[in-house]
Amino acid sequence: MSSDLTHRLARARFRAWHRGTREADYMIGGFYDRHHASWTEAELAWFEALLDEDDVDIMAWALGTVPAPDSYIGPQLKALQKLDYVTI
């Protein structure tokens, strides 16, 4: 694994687990923990873009209460929507 990819994953992990609310931390951080090891460059880029969004939007997309923008629709959003990665 390149040092750039290692740095990006570490930064993404920090951002995923430090969202500002416990609910968002568990949802977004838990998703990161469950899936990051198998991500391709494109999947990591998708997640990095997602991290730039507001927590309330991400959570609404994950819960299916608001449709996600077309740029996020795909297999990773479906995995996020399963919510089977959230443990407390």
Side-chain angles (χ1 to χ4, degrees):
M1 185 178 304
S2 75
S3 68
D4 178 56
L5 185 59
T6 301
H7 175 71
R8 287 175 59 201
L9 284 167
R11 185 171 190 271
R13 182 183 189 285
F14 181 85
R15 292 182 66 206
W17 277 105
H18 295 87
R19 301 301 298 180
T21 65
R22 183 170 294 184
E23 295 84 358
D25 289 349
Y26 283 127
M27 181 181 283
I28 300 164
F31 179 78
Y32 173 89
D33 285 352
R34 173 73 62 91
H35 296 285
H36 80 278
S38 65
W39 284 343
T40 64
E41 168 74 27
E43 290 167 329
L44 176 56
W46 179 92
F47 188 70
E48 289 169 326
L50 185 77
L51 291 173
D52 288 336
E53 301 290 345
D54 290 334
D55 292 347
V56 293
D57 294 330
I58 297 170
M59 294 176 75
W61 302 333
L63 296 172
T65 57
V66 174
D70 290 344
S71 60
Y72 293 112
I73 294 175
Q76 279 184 278
L77 180 62
K78 289 201 181 297
L80 181 67
Q81 291 170 332
K82 285 184 180 181
L83 297 174
D84 62 350
Y85 50 84
V86 176
T87 58
I88 299 175

